[in-house]
Amino acid sequence: MKDGLTRRGFLGASLLFAGGSLVACNASDPTGKASAGGAKITLNQYYHAYGEKGVQQAVQRYAAEYTKANPDVAVNITWVGGEYETRLNAALLTPQAPDIFEIGDFRYQMIKNGQLAPLDDIINPAEYVKANVDNVTADGKVYGVKMMDDIMMLYYRKSVLEAAGVTPPTTFDELATAAKKLTTDKMKGLFVGNDGVGDAGYLLLWSGGGDVIKDGKATFQEGAEAISGLRRLHQDGSLLLGFPTDWYDPGAIVQNAVAMQWCGLWAMPDIQKALGDDFGVIPWPAFTSGGTSVGRLGGWYELVNAKSRHVDEAKKYVQWLWAKQDDLQQDFCLNYGFHVPARTPVAEKALQGGKLASGPAKEAVAISQQSGRSFPALWNTAMGTAFGQAVAGVAKGEGDAAGLLGDAAAKVQAELDKQLA
């Protein structure tokens, strides 16, 4: 489910906007046409507009099942299009704020701002990978329930690489060389995003052994050499730029516009449908021989608004849906694109005889386990913007990499200091 990119906002319940920026539906009827009926409480639940067909209808169905079992509680689904996190943050400041909402990259600042209700009493931490609990824990309290793990990795066309005499790269130098060799007048070698940046700054940094933050200090400027690799890809002319869909959609690789594409596990069913077995997956290669290969880990957390008038009811619904309903969690994660269910009992079913048990899907899960990296909870939008602008400057040759990243690190450090004060 296209991790954290095209996201949404709020205008009000029971309205349908055909333009796609927002759809709010009363989910006691999955069609969104019925009233809340005899329910005494209506919870408003935010979802970003997932790109996979059928997700919206599925979450409406889940809400309707809950209301059927709990007639006093209706759940209104607000399907939010556009820049989701921006619109969510704005909505949380209004009386119409959602009771329940999801977020991709978890933000520690939300805990500090008193926006999140603790959820320790509705989940069993032992049922989750430790990192998925630790990332949303502060002062011994858990503030989010992980819904699914999304894995991002490098897809490649087997037949195209074989025809060019290229083997799947294991170092950045091999990746850059392969991308240049695979570039023709009809196809580019590599797609990391329409802006030619995407996740590449983080991937190069991590694969070079660095990190964005360490011990409360911005440290990514120390990875200037690795991040400068992106400039090489731009100079070589091997990157696909300005494609009609971005990196999180498999359109570029399935339409033969590119030989290798950074994308997510969610896209694998569509890629399999289009290409059959003519594709493989690998992590982002290590920057140097003996270095660290990287797969990015994302996913979504369900959160409860601490200022909701119905905190207890919201928590009960979140517990029902994301901590108890194994079948619904499996449906959500495996029938609309591929994702790894966050609860380990459900994930084990998918990995042992289920849809993730073999082939490239199994290899993708191995990438997540062996090479997965995530953003720290302290990393916020302002920090990401400062880092991204510096990386884009490096890619375009707008200045010395160490200087551009050093200036960005100063901005990030100021944000960190505010959070840690």
Side-chain angles (χ1 to χ4, degrees), residues 22-360:
L22 178 143
V23 179
C25 300
N26 187 320
S28 60
D29 171 7
T31 67
K33 297 178 181 178
S35 69
K40 297 178 181 178
I41 291 171
T42 298
L43 300 173
N44 186 17
Q45 182 179 20
Y46 264 31
Y47 286 95
H48 79 277
Y50 289 91
E52 293 79 6
K53 183 179 179 180
V55 181
Q56 184 178 0
Q57 293 75 18
V59 298
Q60 291 170 357
R61 186 175 72 252
Y62 307 157
E65 289 185 25
Y66 185 77
T67 297
K68 184 176 180 180
N70 302 271
D72 287 344
V73 181
V75 182
N76 186 78
I77 302 298
T78 300
W79 194 251
V80 190
E83 292 297 326
Y84 175 73
E85 190 169 332
T86 299
R87 297 186 178 193
L88 170 65
N89 289 338
L92 288 171
L93 300 176
T94 72
Q96 293 80 27
D99 304 284
I100 306 162
F101 56 94
E102 61 176 4
I103 195 166
D105 298 316
F106 189 78
R107 310 297 187 192
Y108 172 78
Q109 189 66 40
M110 300 184 84
I111 300 174
K112 189 173 180 180
N113 291 346
Q115 293 174 301
L116 306 181
L119 305 178
D120 307 78
D121 54 334
I122 68 170
I123 67 166
N124 176 7
E127 290 189 330
Y128 297 83
V129 174
K130 186 175 183 294
N132 283 344
V133 177
D134 290 350
N135 200 41
V136 291
T137 299
D139 298 325
K141 295 183 180 298
V142 179
Y143 288 89
V145 178
K146 194 73 180 286
M147 301 155 60
M148 94 287 280
D149 287 323
D150 277 330
I151 304 159
M152 285 145 275
M153 64 229 151
L154 200 61
Y155 286 83
Y156 66 92
R157 290 290 303 275
K158 289 181 178 179
S159 61
V160 175
L161 268 65
E162 289 171 1
V166 172
T167 57
T170 59
T171 67
F172 176 74
D173 183 67
E174 291 177 3
L175 174 66
T177 300
K180 187 174 183 179
K181 188 173 183 179
L182 292 164
T183 295
T184 68
D185 58 350
K186 295 181 179 179
M187 173 184 284
K188 289 290 188 178
L190 177 64
F191 187 41
V192 297
N194 280 326
D195 60 357
V197 177
D199 283 342
Y202 298 103
L203 301 173
L204 286 161
L205 174 66
W206 288 331
S207 68
D211 208 345
V212 290
I213 297 171
K214 185 176 181 180
D215 298 327
K217 300 295 182 182
T219 55
F220 57 80
Q221 68 276 19
E222 299 169 8
E225 180 184 359
I227 293 171
S228 293
L230 187 57
R231 178 64 181 154
R232 175 182 173 183
L233 295 174
H234 279 259
Q235 289 177 320
D236 286 348
S238 57
L239 291 178
L240 176 64
L241 303 172
F243 194 72
T245 58
D246 215 336
W247 68 267
Y248 46 82
D249 186 281
I253 195 166
V254 302
Q255 293 176 39
N256 300 315
V258 72
M260 299 181 290
Q261 177 176 342
W262 183 255
C263 197
L265 177 62
W266 58 78
M268 192 171 288
D270 286 341
I271 292 174
Q272 287 176 322
K273 183 177 180 181
L275 303 181
D277 62 359
D278 186 23
F279 76 96
V281 294
I282 56 173
W284 184 270
F287 184 65
T288 57
S289 179
T292 304
S293 61
V294 176
R296 186 161 87 78
L297 291 181
W300 292 83
Y301 287 91
E302 194 79 281
L303 314 173
V304 171
N305 183 356
K307 299 178 182 179
S308 166
R309 292 181 299 167
H310 309 297
V311 169
D312 290 341
E313 292 83 1
K315 289 171 65 173
K316 288 177 182 178
Y317 176 60
V318 170
Q319 181 184 40
W320 176 85
L321 180 54
W322 296 115
K324 292 184 175 181
Q325 301 300 310
D326 292 16
D327 290 345
L328 298 187
Q329 291 162 36
Q330 186 157 271
D331 176 69
F332 185 77
C333 291
L334 299 171
N335 289 338
Y336 319 98
F338 282 173
H339 318 267
V340 180
R343 284 184 61 232
T344 51
V346 183
E348 286 170 1
K349 293 179 183 178
L351 292 168
Q352 298 174 6
K355 293 184 177 182
L356 304 180
S358 62

